[in-house]
Amino acid sequence: MEIDKQQHSKDSVFFRDGVRRIDFVLSYLDDKDGERKQERRKMYEANLVNVGLELETEDKSESDDGKTYFVKIHAPWEVLATYADVLKIKVPFKVNDIPDNGDMPMNWLSTPFRLPEHIMHPEPDYFTAPFDKSKSDFFLIDDKATFFPPSVRNRIVYYILSRCSYFKDECGVKDKKGIKRLLNNCTYTAAFPLHDCRYWTKAKDANCESERYHLHKHWARFFCFYKEQPLNLIRKYYGEKIGIYFAWLGFYTEMLLFAAIVGTLCFVYGFLTFDNNQWSKDICSAEIGGNIVMCPLCDKKCGYWKLNSTCNSSWQSHLFDNVGTVFFAIFMAIWVTLFLEFWKRRQARLEYEWDLVDFEEEQQQLQLRPEYETKCTNRKLNRITQEMEPYLPITSKCARTCLSGATVVLWISLIIACIIGVIAYRLAVYAAFASIMKDNPTTNLQVVGPYITPQLATSVTASCINFVIIMILNLMYERVAVWITDMEIPKTHLEYENKLTVKMFLFQFVNYYSSCFYVAFFKGKFVGYPGNYAYMFGSTLRNEECDPGGCLIELTTQLVIVMTGKQVWGNIQEALVPWMMNWWGSRKARNHPESLYSRWEQDHDLQGFGQLGLFYEYLEMVIQFGFITLFVASFPLAPLLALINNIIEVRVDAWKLTTQFRRPVAAKAHSIGAWEEILNGMAVLSVVTNAFIVAFTSDMIPRLVYMYAYHPEGELNMEGYISNSLSSFNISVIPAENRPDDDENPSWFNSSIDTCRYRDYRYPSGHEKQYSHTMQFWHILAAKLAFIIIMEHVAFLVKFFVAWMIPDVPSDVRARVKRERYLVQEYLHNYEVEKLKIQLSENVHEECNCSPMIYPCLPKHEVLSECL
């Protein structure tokens, strides 16, 4: 019988009877040649019914495309109660009576940033305990239909779907189970829980919560960027795992505000001290920089050049290479420690508020992956549970781990090979740019003309090429990382995510940061000197030099292009691609009246969030965290760019999750997982990298050594520093293979010029130690090493002291956890005692032939509540 679509297919999350809630939806296409698929579906759905789930199918004639069937799934109370007991889901048994003393002084100042109370706290605070079906009257069950929220219901149903077989039990085929395999072999096209309403309007059914509408109105719109996030509502609707991601992202963004302010002040300091920059004045001076002839920067195709041609880059370099840089590097070492320590406290508070305190043990014991259960045919006795459980033999595990490790090493080697290719490009193309620009035709360009130099052109083009290579390798490696992690057969979901996290991060770390490491620590360090230059792997490509302004400005350029490019590309990819795909997928349905576009069809037309959707969000933010910590000494404005990006990122992520993606299956997580250890490792590494950047990439130490030890008049100024930092070489003894071609030299060059200068501290021609390093070089090297040791020790001492001073768990949270555990024990004990009294009393009455009713006017639930 055909159903009246006008009546039954409206914006509803209930079965046709309007009572039973739709907890999950499966969809499949009418495949004429898919007899095996039909058989699988028939058996799978029969097994779902056998375990207690209730199904209702929407015929393809009811769907918009006329091809798609929808199977709606409802979990009745008995199923929910059984699996809530199995999964030890915590449910309320008493309203929290501990007073909240969280009011801060001058709390009214935060009023503009607050959301309404019913949005921030959508449900009361309860004491909770793991659900026990045999003690169901112990818990606060007012209505069985609404006792478990939709997020818990869809989590339970997905647990069943993941473990239900699609073959008869007697067939003995153990690996033929789970919705994931059925999706992979196209038996079903999609499996998803429903959103509770359209995001732009409330549901017409009064029994529907319309939480999606509230999330979109108060959270997912960009103009709410200055408002707090409704974390409790996010957790209630999407589950703890997504909730804790947004809690971490919001906290990280708040902490970035302080780093951005200090970084901007350091940049402003560099801008204000522009006119006190003596070494740039010397470089730009016609009397000093205009009379210093520099040795060619490459063989044959590079001519002699004057120092004042690098005038603009030296001024730009001062914006980032000044005393404020050292202060900011030390500040960021302290900031990153405070960020991580305060996040631990925030996380501990969320663990308590969201009933995740004892979650780790549950995760390990109960959340075995269905793939692990089906692929591991061996069984062994669990010493704790004394039950037989699947396990992977040690030989198989070692073999799989070795193959996985070899694959990761192979791909990291591929990245390094690509980076070497980019370096070779820089070396080869620099000569071409130098030859093209020897007459400086770019000066005719307005505004930007004077700033375009061979060094800048090479750096910018190489950075852009490197960015394109990074994005291509990312797309390729993502599939490989998932494949090798699947091959390892991790035991639990947590272990799977941690293994994938480590693999992806190692790859991304090398992919994104290797070019920055090259510019920071290798470029210009192994150059040699005229007549004895160093070449790349014995080729004809001469190693790159830093210009007299230093390599720091080039590191800044590299950082800005890769970091900004990644963030812009990431936001476009995150927001635009799902929107365009949804727009195209729902183009037909948009022409129908609202009443003919059912809730399951609306959600079916959205994009699937995917099991690893959140993983990529974390990865994006952790890579950004590396940019603002590992290389922040070269670019103090990096935290400001990150702050602006994250303010947009929070709302873009919220918008796409609320409007462009199907509702994800709710999942629990008590922390940000392996990402926390990665952040700690990067925090330690950042101290080392920034110390080395200040010492070896910037010119801070050579300037200080000159000012305090080598200034000829003993005065504390920088006059004469540029000439002091350049060594001389006799042009007549430059080998023919290093000498520029005649047509490459500029017009001002003539035979009267007999020496050229190069950036190093070496004795000049004719000296008894000619071309060997001067004593000043060794003094500078000693000062650099001393600076690294002092800065690292000071930073680490401060880090460890701050970490020791700030406890990971706030004292009030620790007290509340202990109080709740005590109350659970006490109330359970009282419950058992009163239940025993009632049983004994009933037995006495039965023996005396008395009336069995103790409180005839009260239902059982109220009696027990009164006893409690």
Side-chain angles (χ1 to χ4, degrees):
M1 183 179 72
E2 191 168 309
I3 303 297
D4 182 1
K5 196 169 182 181
Q6 186 75 15
Q7 180 180 351
H8 291 282
S9 292
K10 292 182 180 180
D11 195 6
S12 174
V13 291
F14 294 96
F15 274 20
R16 296 188 187 112
D17 57 17
V19 176
R20 291 173 294 170
R21 188 181 187 107
I22 301 170
D23 297 312
F24 227 87
V25 174
L26 307 178
S27 67
Y28 61 91
L29 292 172
D30 183 18
D31 192 348
K32 296 178 182 178
D33 302 324
E35 291 183 7
R36 291 185 63 188
K37 294 179 182 177
Q38 290 178 15
E39 184 63 29
R40 289 191 204 120
R41 283 193 292 265
K42 182 179 178 181
M43 189 55 60
Y44 186 67
E45 290 170 18
N47 288 337
L48 290 177
V49 172
N50 288 340
V51 298
L53 296 178
E54 297 175 2
L55 310 183
E56 186 176 82
T57 303
E58 289 288 329
D59 190 75
K60 64 179 181 180
S61 61
E62 298 295 311
S63 65
D64 182 68
D65 59 5
K67 300 177 183 177
T68 308
Y69 291 86
F70 292 95
V71 181
K72 298 174 285 185
I73 301 174
H74 168 75
W77 169 257
E78 278 300 314
V79 174
L80 293 172
T82 301
Y83 283 92
D85 193 346
V86 170
L87 296 171
K88 301 299 178 190
I89 291 173
K90 288 188 174 182
V91 294
F93 68 89
K94 184 182 184 299
V95 176
N96 191 339
D97 59 357
I98 301 176
D100 185 10
N101 300 321
D103 288 341
M104 300 289 290
M106 302 188 70
N107 215 12
W108 56 272
L109 289 174
S110 62
T111 303
F113 309 105
R114 289 188 176 175
L115 292 173
E117 184 65 21
H118 73 281
I119 300 297
M120 288 304 297
H121 302 285
E123 52 190 3
D125 190 12
Y126 294 104
F127 288 129
T128 60
F131 186 78
D132 188 337
K133 188 179 178 183
S134 64
K135 299 183 179 69
S136 59
D137 48 358
F138 170 71
F139 302 99
L140 298 178
I141 304 176
D142 295 322
D143 183 358
K144 289 182 178 180
T146 59
F147 179 66
F148 293 108
S151 59
V152 174
R153 296 175 69 102
N154 73 55
R155 180 181 160 215
I156 290 173
V157 173
Y158 186 73
Y159 182 88
I160 298 170
L161 293 175
S162 299
R163 285 157 177 77
C164 190
S165 172
Y166 52 87
F167 272 82
K168 292 181 180 178
D169 294 337
E170 57 267 20
C171 293
V173 185
K174 293 185 177 181
D175 63 336
K176 304 295 185 181
K177 63 166 62 173
I179 187 64
K180 190 173 180 181
R181 287 180 68 99
L182 290 171
L183 290 170
N184 288 339
N185 60 32
C186 299
T187 303
Y188 290 100
T189 55
F192 52 92
L194 289 179
H195 283 295
D196 60 2
C197 65
R198 296 170 183 259
Y199 66 84
W200 64 86
T201 184
K202 287 184 178 181
K204 296 176 181 177
D205 193 327
N207 295 321
C208 198
E209 301 86 356
S210 299
E211 289 172 347
R212 185 191 188 193
Y213 165 77
H214 291 303
L215 284 170
H216 179 259
K217 180 180 178 181
H218 297 285
W219 177 53
R221 296 193 298 180
F222 179 73
F223 293 107
C224 299
F225 72 91
Y226 62 93
K227 296 278 189 180
E228 60 186 337
Q229 296 188 84
L231 295 176
N232 289 316
L233 186 58
I234 297 168
R235 174 245 182 171
K236 184 171 181 279
Y237 191 73
Y238 290 115
E240 288 81 1
K241 193 172 185 179
I242 288 178
I244 211 157
Y245 163 73
F246 280 103
W248 176 80
L249 179 58
F251 183 80
Y252 171 45
T253 305
E254 290 169 14
M255 291 294 289
L256 272 176
L257 178 63
F258 303 104
I261 291 171
V262 177
T264 305
L265 290 175
C266 290
F267 178 79
V268 170
Y269 169 80
F271 184 79
L272 294 178
T273 56
F274 221 48
D275 294 333
N276 301 329
N277 181 5
Q278 183 62 48
W279 53 91
S280 290
K281 289 180 180 178
D282 290 349
I283 289 174
C284 297
S285 167
E287 293 77 23
I288 301 174
N291 289 323
I292 296 178
V293 178
M294 302 295 293
C295 298
L297 293 173
C298 64
D299 297 339
K300 297 293 185 181
K301 294 298 181 183
C302 296
Y304 297 96
W305 53 286
K306 289 186 177 180
L307 182 61
N308 63 356
S309 64
T310 61
C311 175
N312 288 320
S313 65
S314 69
W315 283 112
Q316 295 160 10
S317 181
H318 176 71
L319 292 173
F320 309 105
D321 190 1
N322 53 65
V323 179
T325 301
V326 181
F327 165 77
F328 190 57
I330 296 172
F331 168 82
M332 285 302 291
I334 300 169
W335 174 88
V336 75
T337 307
L338 290 172
F339 164 65
L340 294 172
E341 291 303 315
F342 282 127
W343 167 245
K344 289 177 186 175
R345 291 170 63 84
R346 180 79 174 103
Q347 187 171 263
R349 192 174 295 280
L350 286 175
E351 280 186 42
Y352 167 72
E353 292 175 356
W354 293 355
D355 301 320
L356 300 168
V357 174
D358 301 317
F359 173 67
E360 190 168 8
E361 291 77 11
E362 300 170 27
Q363 176 82 19
Q364 292 294 340
Q365 294 173 11
L366 300 168
Q367 300 289 322
L368 286 180
R369 296 175 64 238
E371 294 84 355
Y372 182 83
E373 294 176 318
T374 55
K375 292 180 181 178
C376 296
T377 55
N378 297 294
R379 295 287 187 273
K380 72 174 182 180
L381 184 69
N382 187 313
R383 295 180 181 179
I384 299 171
T385 62
Q386 292 297 305
E387 294 178 356
M388 298 300 289
E389 67 174 15
Y391 84 102
L392 192 65
I394 189 69
T395 51
S396 176
K397 184 179 286 187
C398 289
R400 292 169 184 274
T401 303
C402 290
L403 180 59
S404 171
T407 307
V408 173
V409 170
L410 175 67
W411 275 85
I412 288 177
S413 303
L414 177 63
I415 300 172
I416 295 172
C418 290
I419 296 302
I420 292 173
V422 173
I423 294 170
Y425 164 84
R426 299 170 75 107
L427 302 178
V429 168
Y430 179 79
F433 277 128
S435 178
I436 293 169
M437 296 181 181
K438 65 179 184 290
D439 297 324
N440 211 10
T442 56
T443 50
N444 299 326
L445 298 174
Q446 294 182 353
V447 182
V448 297
Y451 299 96
I452 301 177
T453 63
Q455 291 96 330
L456 181 65
T458 304
S459 178
V460 170
T461 55
S463 298
C464 292
I465 291 170
N466 183 60
F467 175 70
V468 172
I469 291 173
I470 285 171
M471 302 314 295
I472 293 172
L473 288 176
N474 271 353
L475 293 174
M476 295 167 63
Y477 182 73
E478 283 175 7
R479 297 177 181 272
V480 176
V482 172
W483 174 73
I484 57 179
T485 307
D486 287 337
M487 182 195 64
E488 290 183 56
I489 318 179
K491 187 174 182 179
T492 64
H493 292 286
L494 182 65
E495 186 181 343
Y496 180 90
E497 289 191 3
N498 288 348
K499 284 178 178 287
L500 183 62
T501 296
V502 171
K503 290 181 184 65
M504 284 294 292
F505 178 74
L506 280 175
F507 177 85
Q508 299 274 19
F509 184 90
V510 179
N511 199 11
Y512 278 106
Y513 302 141
S514 53
S515 57
C516 293
F517 272 99
Y518 164 72
V519 175
F521 305 124
F522 295 98
K523 184 182 177 184
K525 308 298 186 292
F526 309 100
V527 176
Y529 58 92
N532 189 27
Y533 284 117
Y535 290 83
M536 181 179 177
F537 304 132
S539 66
T540 58
L541 297 174
R542 204 169 97 189
N543 287 350
E544 281 186 288
E545 295 183 43
C546 294
D547 65 40
C551 270
L552 197 73
I553 189 65
E554 189 165 337
L555 176 59
T556 304
T557 304
Q558 180 82 21
L559 193 67
V560 169
I561 289 176
V562 176
M563 180 181 173
T564 308
K566 181 187 182 304
Q567 293 183 162
V568 171
W569 173 256
N571 281 325
I572 291 174
Q573 198 174 24
E574 284 183 23
L576 196 60
V577 173
W579 179 80
M580 290 183 67
M581 293 180 72
N582 289 337
W583 177 84
W584 182 255
S586 63
R587 63 193 184 282
K588 292 180 181 177
R590 286 194 301 272
N591 299 324
H592 296 298
E594 182 178 323
S595 59
L596 298 181
Y597 196 20
S598 65
R599 164 103 328 265
W600 42 91
E601 286 180 283
Q602 292 174 44
D603 285 10
H604 182 263
D605 289 340
L606 299 178
Q607 299 300 301
F609 189 64
Q611 186 183 354
L612 300 176
L614 211 56
F615 169 83
Y616 294 117
E617 301 297 340
Y618 273 119
L619 184 63
E620 180 185 6
M621 288 296 103
V622 171
I623 293 296
Q624 182 205 82
F625 181 82
F627 280 124
I628 68 161
T629 53
L630 296 176
F631 306 103
V632 75
S634 67
F635 188 45
L637 292 180
L640 179 63
L641 292 182
L643 175 66
I644 296 169
N645 174 79
N646 286 11
I647 290 172
I648 299 171
E649 180 78 21
V650 171
R651 304 303 160 177
V652 167
D653 286 352
W655 172 80
K656 72 177 184 183
L657 199 62
T658 310
T659 67
Q660 303 303 310
F661 284 96
R662 297 171 190 155
R663 186 174 184 170
V665 178
K668 275 184 172 282
H670 74 291
S671 67
I672 62 174
W675 298 111
E676 192 167 335
E677 293 303 317
I678 289 173
L679 292 173
N680 282 319
M682 293 178 77
V684 172
L685 182 60
S686 68
V687 175
V688 179
T689 55
N690 283 308
F692 272 84
I693 286 172
V694 173
F696 286 97
T697 309
S698 81
D699 282 342
M700 182 66 59
I701 305 300
R703 290 171 195 154
L704 292 175
V705 170
Y706 173 79
M707 186 166 67
Y708 286 102
Y710 284 89
H711 194 277
E713 298 175 5
E715 297 178 7
L716 297 181
N717 60 53
M718 296 302 295
E719 290 183 4
Y721 166 73
I722 289 298
S723 182
N724 176 266
S725 65
L726 299 173
S727 300
S728 298
F729 194 87
N730 194 333
I731 290 176
S732 62
V733 296
I734 294 179
E737 61 269 17
N738 299 138
R739 200 172 293 169
D741 295 336
D742 292 338
D743 58 342
E744 296 296 339
N745 287 324
S747 56
W748 50 260
F749 183 79
N750 54 60
S751 57
S752 63
I753 301 173
D754 56 358
T755 60
C756 65
R757 310 291 293 273
Y758 61 99
R759 198 168 187 263
D760 207 343
Y761 294 92
R762 295 179 183 272
Y763 290 109
S765 304
H767 195 278
E768 58 180 6
K769 296 181 181 179
Q770 66 176 5
Y771 309 135
S772 62
H773 285 118
T774 64
M775 189 57 65
Q776 186 175 354
F777 170 85
W778 299 109
H779 286 167
I780 291 172
L781 181 61
K784 288 178 176 180
L785 296 176
F787 172 81
I788 290 171
I789 294 169
I790 293 170
M791 179 177 168
E792 285 183 0
H793 279 69
V794 169
F796 282 132
L797 280 173
V798 172
K799 277 172 65 68
F800 292 134
F801 178 73
V802 169
W804 174 76
M805 284 285 293
I806 302 173
D808 291 350
V809 182
S811 57
D812 65 312
V813 171
R814 193 180 292 112
R816 283 168 177 261
V817 170
K818 291 178 180 178
R819 166 74 174 160
E820 184 163 329
R821 284 175 176 166
Y822 166 76
L823 284 174
V824 169
Q825 295 298 323
E826 183 184 23
Y827 276 86
L828 273 173
H829 171 73
N830 292 341
Y831 168 80
E832 295 289 355
V833 169
E834 294 300 330
K835 195 170 184 179
L836 184 60
K837 285 180 182 179
I838 293 172
Q839 289 174 354
L840 290 173
S841 177
E842 287 176 351
N843 290 338
V844 170
H845 277 274
E846 285 175 7
E847 291 173 7
C848 299
N849 296 319
C850 298
S851 171
M853 297 296 287
I854 301 172
Y855 298 102
C857 61
L858 296 174
K860 186 179 180 184
H861 175 73
E862 292 182 72
V863 170
L864 293 174
S865 296
E866 186 183 354
C867 293
L868 291 175

